[in-house]
């Protein structure tokens, strides 16, 4: 699990291309310019452990489901 912190859509594209999550720090730029980012904040003080954990929340649910399917005899 890896998170990239960036300031541009180039950061978002590069992170996603490599299977990473991306947090964009916008500063004074409009937030709507970064719709592809996993999390958008104005400054780093808005980043919390809870926010970062949520980035991978869906991933944990998928891993748990795959493990359960294997216990039940394979994937359907």
């Amino acid at each position: 699990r890896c998170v990239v912190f960036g300031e541009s859509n180039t950061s978002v594209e590069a992170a996603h291309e490599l299977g990473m999550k991306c947090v964009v720090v916008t500063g004074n730029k409009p937030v709507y310019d970064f719709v592809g980012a996993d999390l958008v904040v104005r400054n780093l003080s808005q980043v919390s452990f809870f926010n970062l954990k949520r980035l991978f929340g869906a991933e944990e649910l998928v891993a748990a489901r795959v493990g359960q399917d294997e216990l039940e005899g394979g994937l359907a």
Side-chain angles (χ1 to χ4, degrees), residues 2-23:
C2 186
V3 178
V4 172
F5 291 84
E7 302 178 322
S8 67
N9 283 316
T10 305
S11 300
V12 175
E13 292 171 14
H16 289 168
E17 202 167 297
L18 296 171
M20 301 174 189
K21 301 291 184 179
C22 187
V23 176

Side-chain angles (χ1 to χ4, degrees), residues 34-59:
F34 305 100
V35 294
D38 298 297
L39 177 63
V40 179
V41 296
R42 288 267 180 217
N43 56 55
L44 287 176
S45 68
Q46 293 180 319
V47 177
S48 68
F49 175 75
F50 180 73
N51 286 345
L52 294 178
K53 187 175 179 182
R54 281 190 356 193
L55 290 178
F56 296 100
E59 180 180 291

